[in-house]
Every structure is written in structure tokens, then in C-alpha cells.
Amino acid sequence: MPSAEIRGAGMNENNNSPGGEIDERKRKRMISNRESARRSRMRKQQHLDDLIKRRSELEKQRIEIKRRIDVYQKLWEATVSENNALEALKAEMIKELESSKSRVCDFRAMERFETNFSGNRMLKPLMDVTGSRDSVLQPWQIGRSSQPIAATMFQF
């Protein structure tokens, strides 16, 4: 056995021997594997750096979007508040308009009464659009015209 060890040791020292070529291939493969592992770690680190950078960009975008949502939320709330105030004002104005209409109708109804000399209230005749008294309430004026009649046929 010692001779085999000596022979094996002798072959390792000589690069031309089969054992020397195997060691050289192992060494080259080991160097290649180390280089490949180093490149792999570099790619992994680059990928990790890219992911960290992307995360930072996404976080900035998230913060900006959240800020914009808050701004729009406040605008929406202000708009809703203003809309509610306008709706309340509209309801109040409609109520006031109805009340005014009622007062106008009451006033017109009261306007139609006049007081005679004895203090009694009497219904006045209605006025038409032109301001003349309604002919239905003044039948004695039917047929009277405010314009003169032209006599063209029978002139003597």
C-alpha cells in the first residue's frame, strides 16, 4: 500500500499524469463554479436592489395617491355640505314662495272688496287685462264701444 500512495502522490505532482489532469480540471471547474456563483450572487443582489428601489417608488406613489384621495375626499365632503345647504335653502325658498303665493291670492281676494258709504264691504267687479271692468259684471255696457262708429253708407 505504501507504494500505491507514493505512486499516487507522484502522479499528482506531475501534470502530465492522469491524476494531474483530473486535479487541473477540478481546479478549473472549481474556479468556474466560484465565478458562476459570484455572478449569480451579483445578479441576485442587483435584483434585490431593483426590488428595493421599486418598493421605494411604489411607496412614494402610494403616499401621493393617498394624499390625492384625502384632497378629493375633503372636496367631496365640502360639495356634499354645500349641496345640503343649497337643498335646505331651496326648500326654504319654495316654502316662502308658496306662502307669498298664498298672501298674493289673499290680497287679490281682499282687493276685490270695496267699502261703500255705509261701511259695508261689497265685491268689486273684476278687471280684465286692459284695465276695463269686466262686461259680465257690467251688462249695461255691453254693446258700447269706446271707438266712434264711422257712418260711411248713409250720409245726407
Side-chain angles (χ1 to χ4, degrees), residues 62-86:
R62 186 190 68 80
I63 290 169
E64 176 61 21
I65 289 170
K66 186 178 183 312
R67 185 194 64 78
R68 288 173 54 192
I69 287 172
D70 290 343
V71 167
Y72 289 127
Q73 180 72 26
K74 288 177 183 174
L75 286 173
W76 180 77
E77 289 170 357
T79 303
V80 166
S81 176
E82 183 180 2
N83 190 39
N84 289 339
L86 289 172

mmCIF file with all atom_site columns, all heavy atoms in Angstrom, residues 62-86:
data_model
loop_
_atom_site.group_PDB
_atom_site.id
_atom_site.type_symbol
_atom_site.label_atom_id
_atom_site.label_alt_id
_atom_site.label_comp_id
_atom_site.label_asym_id
_atom_site.label_entity_id
_atom_site.label_seq_id
_atom_site.pdbx_PDB_ins_code
_atom_site.Cartn_x
_atom_site.Cartn_y
_atom_site.Cartn_z
_atom_site.occupancy
_atom_site.B_iso_or_equiv
_atom_site.pdbx_formal_charge
_atom_site.auth_seq_id
_atom_site.auth_comp_id
_atom_site.auth_asym_id
_atom_site.auth_atom_id
_atom_site.pdbx_PDB_model_num
ATOM 1   N N   . ARG A 1 62 ? -47.868 55.428 -3.496 1.00 0.00 ? 62 ARG A N   1
ATOM 2   C CA  . ARG A 1 62 ? -48.956 55.160 -2.549 1.00 0.00 ? 62 ARG A CA  1
ATOM 3   C C   . ARG A 1 62 ? -49.233 56.385 -1.686 1.00 0.00 ? 62 ARG A C   1
ATOM 4   O O   . ARG A 1 62 ? -50.389 56.779 -1.484 1.00 0.00 ? 62 ARG A O   1
ATOM 5   C CB  . ARG A 1 62 ? -48.619 53.962 -1.662 1.00 0.00 ? 62 ARG A CB  1
ATOM 6   C CG  . ARG A 1 62 ? -49.769 53.540 -0.739 1.00 0.00 ? 62 ARG A CG  1
ATOM 7   C CD  . ARG A 1 62 ? -49.332 52.524 0.296  1.00 0.00 ? 62 ARG A CD  1
ATOM 8   N NE  . ARG A 1 62 ? -48.423 53.078 1.262  1.00 0.00 ? 62 ARG A NE  1
ATOM 9   C CZ  . ARG A 1 62 ? -48.787 53.822 2.325  1.00 0.00 ? 62 ARG A CZ  1
ATOM 10  N NH1 . ARG A 1 62 ? -50.049 54.103 2.534  1.00 0.00 ? 62 ARG A NH1 1
ATOM 11  N NH2 . ARG A 1 62 ? -47.895 54.290 3.162  1.00 0.00 ? 62 ARG A NH2 1
ATOM 12  N N   . ILE A 1 63 ? -48.174 57.021 -1.210 1.00 0.00 ? 63 ILE A N   1
ATOM 13  C CA  . ILE A 1 63 ? -48.330 58.212 -0.372 1.00 0.00 ? 63 ILE A CA  1
ATOM 14  C C   . ILE A 1 63 ? -48.978 59.335 -1.179 1.00 0.00 ? 63 ILE A C   1
ATOM 15  O O   . ILE A 1 63 ? -49.885 60.017 -0.694 1.00 0.00 ? 63 ILE A O   1
ATOM 16  C CB  . ILE A 1 63 ? -46.962 58.643 0.209  1.00 0.00 ? 63 ILE A CB  1
ATOM 17  C CG1 . ILE A 1 63 ? -46.505 57.626 1.261  1.00 0.00 ? 63 ILE A CG1 1
ATOM 18  C CG2 . ILE A 1 63 ? -47.030 60.042 0.803  1.00 0.00 ? 63 ILE A CG2 1
ATOM 19  C CD1 . ILE A 1 63 ? -45.078 57.801 1.715  1.00 0.00 ? 63 ILE A CD1 1
ATOM 20  N N   . GLU A 1 64 ? -48.541 59.521 -2.431 1.00 0.00 ? 64 GLU A N   1
ATOM 21  C CA  . GLU A 1 64 ? -49.117 60.562 -3.292 1.00 0.00 ? 64 GLU A CA  1
ATOM 22  C C   . GLU A 1 64 ? -50.596 60.271 -3.592 1.00 0.00 ? 64 GLU A C   1
ATOM 23  O O   . GLU A 1 64 ? -51.432 61.175 -3.539 1.00 0.00 ? 64 GLU A O   1
ATOM 24  C CB  . GLU A 1 64 ? -48.321 60.670 -4.600 1.00 0.00 ? 64 GLU A CB  1
ATOM 25  C CG  . GLU A 1 64 ? -48.887 61.653 -5.593 1.00 0.00 ? 64 GLU A CG  1
ATOM 26  C CD  . GLU A 1 64 ? -48.936 63.086 -5.109 1.00 0.00 ? 64 GLU A CD  1
ATOM 27  O OE1 . GLU A 1 64 ? -48.198 63.452 -4.179 1.00 0.00 ? 64 GLU A OE1 1
ATOM 28  O OE2 . GLU A 1 64 ? -49.752 63.856 -5.656 1.00 0.00 ? 64 GLU A OE2 1
ATOM 29  N N   . ILE A 1 65 ? -50.903 59.026 -3.884 1.00 0.00 ? 65 ILE A N   1
ATOM 30  C CA  . ILE A 1 65 ? -52.302 58.654 -4.162 1.00 0.00 ? 65 ILE A CA  1
ATOM 31  C C   . ILE A 1 65 ? -53.156 58.859 -2.917 1.00 0.00 ? 65 ILE A C   1
ATOM 32  O O   . ILE A 1 65 ? -54.269 59.381 -3.002 1.00 0.00 ? 65 ILE A O   1
ATOM 33  C CB  . ILE A 1 65 ? -52.383 57.199 -4.675 1.00 0.00 ? 65 ILE A CB  1
ATOM 34  C CG1 . ILE A 1 65 ? -51.795 57.124 -6.087 1.00 0.00 ? 65 ILE A CG1 1
ATOM 35  C CG2 . ILE A 1 65 ? -53.813 56.690 -4.647 1.00 0.00 ? 65 ILE A CG2 1
ATOM 36  C CD1 . ILE A 1 65 ? -51.611 55.706 -6.596 1.00 0.00 ? 65 ILE A CD1 1
ATOM 37  N N   . LYS A 1 66 ? -52.627 58.495 -1.759 1.00 0.00 ? 66 LYS A N   1
ATOM 38  C CA  . LYS A 1 66 ? -53.366 58.688 -0.503 1.00 0.00 ? 66 LYS A CA  1
ATOM 39  C C   . LYS A 1 66 ? -53.596 60.175 -0.257 1.00 0.00 ? 66 LYS A C   1
ATOM 40  O O   . LYS A 1 66 ? -54.697 60.587 0.140  1.00 0.00 ? 66 LYS A O   1
ATOM 41  C CB  . LYS A 1 66 ? -52.607 58.078 0.667  1.00 0.00 ? 66 LYS A CB  1
ATOM 42  C CG  . LYS A 1 66 ? -53.370 58.120 1.978  1.00 0.00 ? 66 LYS A CG  1
ATOM 43  C CD  . LYS A 1 66 ? -52.587 57.456 3.079  1.00 0.00 ? 66 LYS A CD  1
ATOM 44  C CE  . LYS A 1 66 ? -53.327 57.409 4.379  1.00 0.00 ? 66 LYS A CE  1
ATOM 45  N NZ  . LYS A 1 66 ? -53.949 58.630 4.819  1.00 0.00 ? 66 LYS A NZ  1
ATOM 46  N N   . ARG A 1 67 ? -52.597 61.006 -0.529 1.00 0.00 ? 67 ARG A N   1
ATOM 47  C CA  . ARG A 1 67 ? -52.740 62.448 -0.361 1.00 0.00 ? 67 ARG A CA  1
ATOM 48  C C   . ARG A 1 67 ? -53.829 62.990 -1.297 1.00 0.00 ? 67 ARG A C   1
ATOM 49  O O   . ARG A 1 67 ? -54.695 63.762 -0.895 1.00 0.00 ? 67 ARG A O   1
ATOM 50  C CB  . ARG A 1 67 ? -51.416 63.160 -0.644 1.00 0.00 ? 67 ARG A CB  1
ATOM 51  C CG  . ARG A 1 67 ? -51.453 64.661 -0.368 1.00 0.00 ? 67 ARG A CG  1
ATOM 52  C CD  . ARG A 1 67 ? -50.256 65.387 -0.962 1.00 0.00 ? 67 ARG A CD  1
ATOM 53  N NE  . ARG A 1 67 ? -50.210 65.314 -2.399 1.00 0.00 ? 67 ARG A NE  1
ATOM 54  C CZ  . ARG A 1 67 ? -50.949 66.058 -3.228 1.00 0.00 ? 67 ARG A CZ  1
ATOM 55  N NH1 . ARG A 1 67 ? -51.808 66.927 -2.752 1.00 0.00 ? 67 ARG A NH1 1
ATOM 56  N NH2 . ARG A 1 67 ? -50.843 65.928 -4.542 1.00 0.00 ? 67 ARG A NH2 1
ATOM 57  N N   . ARG A 1 68 ? -53.805 62.528 -2.558 1.00 0.00 ? 68 ARG A N   1
ATOM 58  C CA  . ARG A 1 68 ? -54.807 62.979 -3.520 1.00 0.00 ? 68 ARG A CA  1
ATOM 59  C C   . ARG A 1 68 ? -56.204 62.506 -3.125 1.00 0.00 ? 68 ARG A C   1
ATOM 60  O O   . ARG A 1 68 ? -57.184 63.243 -3.273 1.00 0.00 ? 68 ARG A O   1
ATOM 61  C CB  . ARG A 1 68 ? -54.441 62.490 -4.916 1.00 0.00 ? 68 ARG A CB  1
ATOM 62  C CG  . ARG A 1 68 ? -53.245 63.249 -5.475 1.00 0.00 ? 68 ARG A CG  1
ATOM 63  C CD  . ARG A 1 68 ? -52.714 62.717 -6.764 1.00 0.00 ? 68 ARG A CD  1
ATOM 64  N NE  . ARG A 1 68 ? -53.722 62.611 -7.795 1.00 0.00 ? 68 ARG A NE  1
ATOM 65  C CZ  . ARG A 1 68 ? -53.541 61.964 -8.931 1.00 0.00 ? 68 ARG A CZ  1
ATOM 66  N NH1 . ARG A 1 68 ? -52.386 61.370 -9.176 1.00 0.00 ? 68 ARG A NH1 1
ATOM 67  N NH2 . ARG A 1 68 ? -54.483 61.900 -9.830 1.00 0.00 ? 68 ARG A NH2 1
ATOM 68  N N   . ILE A 1 69 ? -56.294 61.285 -2.622 1.00 0.00 ? 69 ILE A N   1
ATOM 69  C CA  . ILE A 1 69 ? -57.596 60.774 -2.155 1.00 0.00 ? 69 ILE A CA  1
ATOM 70  C C   . ILE A 1 69 ? -58.107 61.639 -1.009 1.00 0.00 ? 69 ILE A C   1
ATOM 71  O O   . ILE A 1 69 ? -59.284 61.988 -0.966 1.00 0.00 ? 69 ILE A O   1
ATOM 72  C CB  . ILE A 1 69 ? -57.485 59.289 -1.738 1.00 0.00 ? 69 ILE A CB  1
ATOM 73  C CG1 . ILE A 1 69 ? -57.351 58.406 -2.971 1.00 0.00 ? 69 ILE A CG1 1
ATOM 74  C CG2 . ILE A 1 69 ? -58.676 58.871 -0.890 1.00 0.00 ? 69 ILE A CG2 1
ATOM 75  C CD1 . ILE A 1 69 ? -57.056 56.957 -2.670 1.00 0.00 ? 69 ILE A CD1 1
ATOM 76  N N   . ASP A 1 70 ? -57.207 62.017 -0.082 1.00 0.00 ? 70 ASP A N   1
ATOM 77  C CA  . ASP A 1 70 ? -57.614 62.875 1.036  1.00 0.00 ? 70 ASP A CA  1
ATOM 78  C C   . ASP A 1 70 ? -58.114 64.224 0.532  1.00 0.00 ? 70 ASP A C   1
ATOM 79  O O   . ASP A 1 70 ? -59.122 64.747 1.014  1.00 0.00 ? 70 ASP A O   1
ATOM 80  C CB  . ASP A 1 70 ? -56.458 63.067 2.012  1.00 0.00 ? 70 ASP A CB  1
ATOM 81  C CG  . ASP A 1 70 ? -56.111 61.804 2.789  1.00 0.00 ? 70 ASP A CG  1
ATOM 82  O OD1 . ASP A 1 70 ? -56.952 60.874 2.814  1.00 0.00 ? 70 ASP A OD1 1
ATOM 83  O OD2 . ASP A 1 70 ? -55.002 61.733 3.357  1.00 0.00 ? 70 ASP A OD2 1
ATOM 84  N N   . VAL A 1 71 ? -57.415 64.791 -0.458 1.00 0.00 ? 71 VAL A N   1
ATOM 85  C CA  . VAL A 1 71 ? -57.830 66.080 -1.026 1.00 0.00 ? 71 VAL A CA  1
ATOM 86  C C   . VAL A 1 71 ? -59.208 65.939 -1.661 1.00 0.00 ? 71 VAL A C   1
ATOM 87  O O   . VAL A 1 71 ? -60.113 66.755 -1.415 1.00 0.00 ? 71 VAL A O   1
ATOM 88  C CB  . VAL A 1 71 ? -56.795 66.585 -2.051 1.00 0.00 ? 71 VAL A CB  1
ATOM 89  C CG1 . VAL A 1 71 ? -57.351 67.731 -2.876 1.00 0.00 ? 71 VAL A CG1 1
ATOM 90  C CG2 . VAL A 1 71 ? -55.516 67.023 -1.349 1.00 0.00 ? 71 VAL A CG2 1
ATOM 91  N N   . TYR A 1 72 ? -59.382 64.897 -2.486 1.00 0.00 ? 72 TYR A N   1
ATOM 92  C CA  . TYR A 1 72 ? -60.671 64.698 -3.152 1.00 0.00 ? 72 TYR A CA  1
ATOM 93  C C   . TYR A 1 72 ? -61.774 64.366 -2.151 1.00 0.00 ? 72 TYR A C   1
ATOM 94  O O   . TYR A 1 72 ? -62.926 64.758 -2.343 1.00 0.00 ? 72 TYR A O   1
ATOM 95  C CB  . TYR A 1 72 ? -60.577 63.623 -4.237 1.00 0.00 ? 72 TYR A CB  1
ATOM 96  C CG  . TYR A 1 72 ? -59.791 64.081 -5.436 1.00 0.00 ? 72 TYR A CG  1
ATOM 97  C CD1 . TYR A 1 72 ? -58.719 63.335 -5.922 1.00 0.00 ? 72 TYR A CD1 1
ATOM 98  C CD2 . TYR A 1 72 ? -60.101 65.260 -6.104 1.00 0.00 ? 72 TYR A CD2 1
ATOM 99  C CE1 . TYR A 1 72 ? -57.992 63.760 -7.024 1.00 0.00 ? 72 TYR A CE1 1
ATOM 100 C CE2 . TYR A 1 72 ? -59.391 65.682 -7.199 1.00 0.00 ? 72 TYR A CE2 1
ATOM 101 C CZ  . TYR A 1 72 ? -58.336 64.932 -7.659 1.00 0.00 ? 72 TYR A CZ  1
ATOM 102 O OH  . TYR A 1 72 ? -57.632 65.352 -8.742 1.00 0.00 ? 72 TYR A OH  1
ATOM 103 N N   . GLN A 1 73 ? -61.421 63.660 -1.087 1.00 0.00 ? 73 GLN A N   1
ATOM 104 C CA  . GLN A 1 73 ? -62.405 63.344 -0.048 1.00 0.00 ? 73 GLN A CA  1
ATOM 105 C C   . GLN A 1 73 ? -62.895 64.635 0.605  1.00 0.00 ? 73 GLN A C   1
ATOM 106 O O   . GLN A 1 73 ? -64.093 64.815 0.811  1.00 0.00 ? 73 GLN A O   1
ATOM 107 C CB  . GLN A 1 73 ? -61.783 62.416 1.003  1.00 0.00 ? 73 GLN A CB  1
ATOM 108 C CG  . GLN A 1 73 ? -62.712 62.030 2.133  1.00 0.00 ? 73 GLN A CG  1
ATOM 109 C CD  . GLN A 1 73 ? -63.789 61.066 1.704  1.00 0.00 ? 73 GLN A CD  1
ATOM 110 O OE1 . GLN A 1 73 ? -63.617 60.313 0.759  1.00 0.00 ? 73 GLN A OE1 1
ATOM 111 N NE2 . GLN A 1 73 ? -64.905 61.084 2.393  1.00 0.00 ? 73 GLN A NE2 1
ATOM 112 N N   . LYS A 1 74 ? -61.955 65.541 0.908  1.00 0.00 ? 74 LYS A N   1
ATOM 113 C CA  . LYS A 1 74 ? -62.344 66.817 1.520  1.00 0.00 ? 74 LYS A CA  1
ATOM 114 C C   . LYS A 1 74 ? -63.180 67.648 0.550  1.00 0.00 ? 74 LYS A C   1
ATOM 115 O O   . LYS A 1 74 ? -64.159 68.276 0.953  1.00 0.00 ? 74 LYS A O   1
ATOM 116 C CB  . LYS A 1 74 ? -61.101 67.590 1.957  1.00 0.00 ? 74 LYS A CB  1
ATOM 117 C CG  . LYS A 1 74 ? -60.436 66.978 3.180  1.00 0.00 ? 74 LYS A CG  1
ATOM 118 C CD  . LYS A 1 74 ? -59.170 67.700 3.567  1.00 0.00 ? 74 LYS A CD  1
ATOM 119 C CE  . LYS A 1 74 ? -58.515 66.984 4.741  1.00 0.00 ? 74 LYS A CE  1
ATOM 120 N NZ  . LYS A 1 74 ? -57.223 67.550 5.069  1.00 0.00 ? 74 LYS A NZ  1
ATOM 121 N N   . LEU A 1 75 ? -62.799 67.650 -0.728 1.00 0.00 ? 75 LEU A N   1
ATOM 122 C CA  . LEU A 1 75 ? -63.593 68.368 -1.728 1.00 0.00 ? 75 LEU A CA  1
ATOM 123 C C   . LEU A 1 75 ? -64.995 67.782 -1.835 1.00 0.00 ? 75 LEU A C   1
ATOM 124 O O   . LEU A 1 75 ? -65.989 68.511 -1.931 1.00 0.00 ? 75 LEU A O   1
ATOM 125 C CB  . LEU A 1 75 ? -62.900 68.318 -3.092 1.00 0.00 ? 75 LEU A CB  1
ATOM 126 C CG  . LEU A 1 75 ? -61.677 69.210 -3.264 1.00 0.00 ? 75 LEU A CG  1
ATOM 127 C CD1 . LEU A 1 75 ? -60.997 68.931 -4.605 1.00 0.00 ? 75 LEU A CD1 1
ATOM 128 C CD2 . LEU A 1 75 ? -62.070 70.674 -3.174 1.00 0.00 ? 75 LEU A CD2 1
ATOM 129 N N   . TRP A 1 76 ? -65.067 66.459 -1.820 1.00 0.00 ? 76 TRP A N   1
ATOM 130 C CA  . TRP A 1 76 ? -66.372 65.787 -1.902 1.00 0.00 ? 76 TRP A CA  1
ATOM 131 C C   . TRP A 1 76 ? -67.224 66.138 -0.687 1.00 0.00 ? 76 TRP A C   1
ATOM 132 O O   . TRP A 1 76 ? -68.410 66.456 -0.827 1.00 0.00 ? 76 TRP A O   1
ATOM 133 C CB  . TRP A 1 76 ? -66.169 64.282 -2.014 1.00 0.00 ? 76 TRP A CB  1
ATOM 134 C CG  . TRP A 1 76 ? -67.451 63.518 -2.099 1.00 0.00 ? 76 TRP A CG  1
ATOM 135 C CD1 . TRP A 1 76 ? -68.257 63.375 -3.179 1.00 0.00 ? 76 TRP A CD1 1
ATOM 136 C CD2 . TRP A 1 76 ? -68.087 62.803 -1.035 1.00 0.00 ? 76 TRP A CD2 1
ATOM 137 N NE1 . TRP A 1 76 ? -69.347 62.619 -2.867 1.00 0.00 ? 76 TRP A NE1 1
ATOM 138 C CE2 . TRP A 1 76 ? -69.272 62.248 -1.554 1.00 0.00 ? 76 TRP A CE2 1
ATOM 139 C CE3 . TRP A 1 76 ? -67.772 62.569 0.292  1.00 0.00 ? 76 TRP A CE3 1
ATOM 140 C CZ2 . TRP A 1 76 ? -70.131 61.490 -0.795 1.00 0.00 ? 76 TRP A CZ2 1
ATOM 141 C CZ3 . TRP A 1 76 ? -68.627 61.813 1.060  1.00 0.00 ? 76 TRP A CZ3 1
ATOM 142 C CH2 . TRP A 1 76 ? -69.800 61.279 0.518  1.00 0.00 ? 76 TRP A CH2 1
ATOM 143 N N   . GLU A 1 77 ? -66.621 66.098 0.503  1.00 0.00 ? 77 GLU A N   1
ATOM 144 C CA  . GLU A 1 77 ? -67.366 66.430 1.719  1.00 0.00 ? 77 GLU A CA  1
ATOM 145 C C   . GLU A 1 77 ? -67.840 67.878 1.690  1.00 0.00 ? 77 GLU A C   1
ATOM 146 O O   . GLU A 1 77 ? -68.973 68.184 2.086  1.00 0.00 ? 77 GLU A O   1
ATOM 147 C CB  . GLU A 1 77 ? -66.499 66.168 2.957  1.00 0.00 ? 77 GLU A CB  1
ATOM 148 C CG  . GLU A 1 77 ? -66.281 64.688 3.238  1.00 0.00 ? 77 GLU A CG  1
ATOM 149 C CD  . GLU A 1 77 ? -65.239 64.433 4.310  1.00 0.00 ? 77 GLU A CD  1
ATOM 150 O OE1 . GLU A 1 77 ? -64.621 65.401 4.811  1.00 0.00 ? 77 GLU A OE1 1
ATOM 151 O OE2 . GLU A 1 77 ? -65.025 63.254 4.652  1.00 0.00 ? 77 GLU A OE2 1
ATOM 152 N N   . ALA A 1 78 ? -66.984 68.792 1.198  1.00 0.00 ? 78 ALA A N   1
ATOM 153 C CA  . ALA A 1 78 ? -67.383 70.199 1.086  1.00 0.00 ? 78 ALA A CA  1
ATOM 154 C C   . ALA A 1 78 ? -68.528 70.346 0.088  1.00 0.00 ? 78 ALA A C   1
ATOM 155 O O   . ALA A 1 78 ? -69.473 71.113 0.317  1.00 0.00 ? 78 ALA A O   1
ATOM 156 C CB  . ALA A 1 78 ? -66.191 71.056 0.668  1.00 0.00 ? 78 ALA A CB  1
ATOM 157 N N   . THR A 1 79 ? -68.449 69.605 -1.013 1.00 0.00 ? 79 THR A N   1
ATOM 158 C CA  . THR A 1 79 ? -69.506 69.658 -2.026 1.00 0.00 ? 79 THR A CA  1
ATOM 159 C C   . THR A 1 79 ? -70.815 69.113 -1.473 1.00 0.00 ? 79 THR A C   1
ATOM 160 O O   . THR A 1 79 ? -71.884 69.691 -1.703 1.00 0.00 ? 79 THR A O   1
ATOM 161 C CB  . THR A 1 79 ? -69.083 68.866 -3.275 1.00 0.00 ? 79 THR A CB  1
ATOM 162 O OG1 . THR A 1 79 ? -67.858 69.401 -3.772 1.00 0.00 ? 79 THR A OG1 1
ATOM 163 C CG2 . THR A 1 79 ? -70.136 68.949 -4.369 1.00 0.00 ? 79 THR A CG2 1
ATOM 164 N N   . VAL A 1 80 ? -70.740 68.022 -0.747 1.00 0.00 ? 80 VAL A N   1
ATOM 165 C CA  . VAL A 1 80 ? -71.954 67.449 -0.139 1.00 0.00 ? 80 VAL A CA  1
ATOM 166 C C   . VAL A 1 80 ? -72.537 68.434 0.869  1.00 0.00 ? 80 VAL A C   1
ATOM 167 O O   . VAL A 1 80 ? -73.755 68.659 0.894  1.00 0.00 ? 80 VAL A O   1
ATOM 168 C CB  . VAL A 1 80 ? -71.638 66.084 0.526  1.00 0.00 ? 80 VAL A CB  1
ATOM 169 C CG1 . VAL A 1 80 ? -72.765 65.631 1.431  1.00 0.00 ? 80 VAL A CG1 1
ATOM 170 C CG2 . VAL A 1 80 ? -71.362 65.034 -0.535 1.00 0.00 ? 80 VAL A CG2 1
ATOM 171 N N   . SER A 1 81 ? -71.677 69.035 1.664  1.00 0.00 ? 81 SER A N   1
ATOM 172 C CA  . SER A 1 81 ? -72.146 70.008 2.649  1.00 0.00 ? 81 SER A CA  1
ATOM 173 C C   . SER A 1 81 ? -72.806 71.205 1.960  1.00 0.00 ? 81 SER A C   1
ATOM 174 O O   . SER A 1 81 ? -73.885 71.645 2.362  1.00 0.00 ? 81 SER A O   1
ATOM 175 C CB  . SER A 1 81 ? -70.971 70.483 3.505  1.00 0.00 ? 81 SER A CB  1
ATOM 176 O OG  . SER A 1 81 ? -71.384 71.477 4.403  1.00 0.00 ? 81 SER A OG  1
ATOM 177 N N   . GLU A 1 82 ? -72.162 71.705 0.910  1.00 0.00 ? 82 GLU A N   1
ATOM 178 C CA  . GLU A 1 82 ? -72.736 72.824 0.165  1.00 0.00 ? 82 GLU A CA  1
ATOM 179 C C   . GLU A 1 82 ? -74.049 72.415 -0.492 1.00 0.00 ? 82 GLU A C   1
ATOM 180 O O   . GLU A 1 82 ? -75.013 73.186 -0.499 1.00 0.00 ? 82 GLU A O   1
ATOM 181 C CB  . GLU A 1 82 ? -71.746 73.295 -0.897 1.00 0.00 ? 82 GLU A CB  1
ATOM 182 C CG  . GLU A 1 82 ? -72.216 74.499 -1.671 1.00 0.00 ? 82 GLU A CG  1
ATOM 183 C CD  . GLU A 1 82 ? -71.230 74.958 -2.727 1.00 0.00 ? 82 GLU A CD  1
ATOM 184 O OE1 . GLU A 1 82 ? -70.183 74.313 -2.895 1.00 0.00 ? 82 GLU A OE1 1
ATOM 185 O OE2 . GLU A 1 82 ? -71.526 75.962 -3.394 1.00 0.00 ? 82 GLU A OE2 1
ATOM 186 N N   . ASN A 1 83 ? -74.097 71.200 -1.029 1.00 0.00 ? 83 ASN A N   1
ATOM 187 C CA  . ASN A 1 83 ? -75.321 70.708 -1.659 1.00 0.00 ? 83 ASN A CA  1
ATOM 188 C C   . ASN A 1 83 ? -76.459 70.620 -0.633 1.00 0.00 ? 83 ASN A C   1
ATOM 189 O O   . ASN A 1 83 ? -77.592 71.011 -0.927 1.00 0.00 ? 83 ASN A O   1
ATOM 190 C CB  . ASN A 1 83 ? -75.063 69.347 -2.306 1.00 0.00 ? 83 ASN A CB  1
ATOM 191 C CG  . ASN A 1 83 ? -76.206 68.900 -3.168 1.00 0.00 ? 83 ASN A CG  1
ATOM 192 O OD1 . ASN A 1 83 ? -76.815 69.691 -3.871 1.00 0.00 ? 83 ASN A OD1 1
ATOM 193 N ND2 . ASN A 1 83 ? -76.497 67.615 -3.127 1.00 0.00 ? 83 ASN A ND2 1
ATOM 194 N N   . ASN A 1 84 ? -76.134 70.131 0.556  1.00 0.00 ? 84 ASN A N   1
ATOM 195 C CA  . ASN A 1 84 ? -77.159 70.044 1.601  1.00 0.00 ? 84 ASN A CA  1
ATOM 196 C C   . ASN A 1 84 ? -77.661 71.430 1.991  1.00 0.00 ? 84 ASN A C   1
ATOM 197 O O   . ASN A 1 84 ? -78.866 71.635 2.183  1.00 0.00 ? 84 ASN A O   1
ATOM 198 C CB  . ASN A 1 84 ? -76.614 69.315 2.829  1.00 0.00 ? 84 ASN A CB  1
ATOM 199 C CG  . ASN A 1 84 ? -76.413 67.834 2.574  1.00 0.00 ? 84 ASN A CG  1
ATOM 200 O OD1 . ASN A 1 84 ? -77.015 67.262 1.666  1.00 0.00 ? 84 ASN A OD1 1
ATOM 201 N ND2 . ASN A 1 84 ? -75.559 67.205 3.357  1.00 0.00 ? 84 ASN A ND2 1
ATOM 202 N N   . ALA A 1 85 ? -76.733 72.387 2.083  1.00 0.00 ? 85 ALA A N   1
ATOM 203 C CA  . ALA A 1 85 ? -77.131 73.761 2.419  1.00 0.00 ? 85 ALA A CA  1
ATOM 204 C C   . ALA A 1 85 ? -78.012 74.336 1.318  1.00 0.00 ? 85 ALA A C   1
ATOM 205 O O   . ALA A 1 85 ? -79.018 75.011 1.596  1.00 0.00 ? 85 ALA A O   1
ATOM 206 C CB  . ALA A 1 85 ? -75.888 74.630 2.627  1.00 0.00 ? 85 ALA A CB  1
ATOM 207 N N   . LEU A 1 86 ? -77.638 74.079 0.066  1.00 0.00 ? 86 LEU A N   1
ATOM 208 C CA  . LEU A 1 86 ? -78.447 74.573 -1.052 1.00 0.00 ? 86 LEU A CA  1
ATOM 209 C C   . LEU A 1 86 ? -79.822 73.909 -1.090 1.00 0.00 ? 86 LEU A C   1
ATOM 210 O O   . LEU A 1 86 ? -80.827 74.566 -1.406 1.00 0.00 ? 86 LEU A O   1
ATOM 211 C CB  . LEU A 1 86 ? -77.709 74.367 -2.374 1.00 0.00 ? 86 LEU A CB  1
ATOM 212 C CG  . LEU A 1 86 ? -76.492 75.264 -2.593 1.00 0.00 ? 86 LEU A CG  1
ATOM 213 C CD1 . LEU A 1 86 ? -75.731 74.827 -3.843 1.00 0.00 ? 86 LEU A CD1 1
ATOM 214 C CD2 . LEU A 1 86 ? -76.899 76.715 -2.688 1.00 0.00 ? 86 LEU A CD2 1
#
